[in-house]
Amino acid sequence: AQEEMCDHDTPKQIETLINNLTPQNGIRLYLKSDQKTFSSSIDELIWAQSVPRGTIFKINHQCYFIDQPLRRYEMLLAPYAFLRCHSHYLINSRRIGHIDKEHERLLMDNQDYIPLDLTRLFRLQTTISKYSSKTENKIMHPLETRIFS
């Protein structure tokens, strides 16, 4: 399916393409809403929430509504350690501060709490292990709580 593009979107798309072709700049995600078109580093994306008629993205300290379903971004972001922790949430597993099994939630590094479906815990732990084996700054806390610095 081809998306309709406006002339004013083209420079932002070209900038994002160039950034994604240059490894030292990191991978960027291009997002388009009714009000604004922007791109962001995927490292800045903390979580995304499925809501009626779209998705809310939490990027750093800002929330953005995008009128596309969350499933559209789930497969796109999976290779970069993003996964569903709940039917309505996609999270950046590198931004998890604490796993709270007792209360079935995640504390993200920006202090947001995200619901955790315990049936998805094994996949979450597998993704965290896979990512942290590639990272030197891994801290393992007792009781399987994982904190990334």
Side-chain angles (χ1 to χ4, degrees), residues 44-48 56-63 110 112:
E44 296 172 335
L45 175 56
I46 302 168
W47 53 260
I56 296 174
F57 285 88
K58 180 72 173 258
I59 300 173
N60 289 330
H61 302 290
Q62 296 277 96
C63 287
N110 70 336
D112 286 346

Side-chain angles (χ1 to χ4, degrees), residues 113-128:
Y113 283 101
I114 304 296
L116 171 63
D117 179 348
L118 290 179
T119 62
R120 299 172 191 251
L121 184 60
F122 178 76
R123 182 161 181 234
L124 175 66
Q125 289 173 323
T126 302
T127 302
I128 290 170

Side-chain angles (χ1 to χ4, degrees), residues 8 16 18 22 30 39 44 52 55 77 88 104 121-122 143:
H8 67 275
T16 302
I18 291 169
T22 311
Y30 173 78
S39 69
E44 296 172 335
T55 302
L77 293 170
H88 295 286
E104 298 182 17
L121 184 60
F122 178 76
L143 304 177

Side-chain angles (χ1 to χ4, degrees), residues 69-129:
L70 182 59
R71 70 179 176 275
R72 178 179 180 149
Y73 299 97
E74 183 176 6
M75 295 196 61
L76 176 71
L77 293 170
Y80 307 103
F82 285 80
L83 60 106
R84 290 255 188 165
C85 63
H86 184 273
S87 60
H88 295 286
Y89 284 89
L90 180 70
I91 53 116
N92 182 343
S93 67
R94 296 168 304 196
R95 303 289 302 262
I96 296 172
H98 180 79
I99 298 173
D100 183 352
K101 293 181 195 176
E102 182 180 345
H103 295 102
E104 298 182 17
R105 63 186 183 177
L106 301 171
L107 175 63
M108 304 306 286
D109 65 1
N110 70 336
Q111 305 305 307
D112 286 346
Y113 283 101
I114 304 296
L116 171 63
D117 179 348
L118 290 179
T119 62
R120 299 172 191 251
L121 184 60
F122 178 76
R123 182 161 181 234
L124 175 66
Q125 289 173 323
T126 302
T127 302
I128 290 170
S129 296

Side-chain angles (χ1 to χ4, degrees), residues 10-50:
T10 304
K12 189 61 94 173
Q13 289 176 329
I14 291 170
E15 174 190 341
T16 302
L17 175 63
I18 291 169
N19 282 329
N20 287 344
L21 293 174
T22 311
Q24 69 269 19
N25 290 339
I27 302 297
R28 299 190 67 79
L29 178 65
Y30 173 78
L31 298 170
K32 180 179 172 184
S33 70
D34 289 340
Q35 304 121 2
K36 186 178 177 183
T37 300
F38 61 96
S39 69
S40 172
S41 164
I42 61 168
D43 294 329
E44 296 172 335
L45 175 56
I46 302 168
W47 53 260
Q49 179 186 9
S50 176

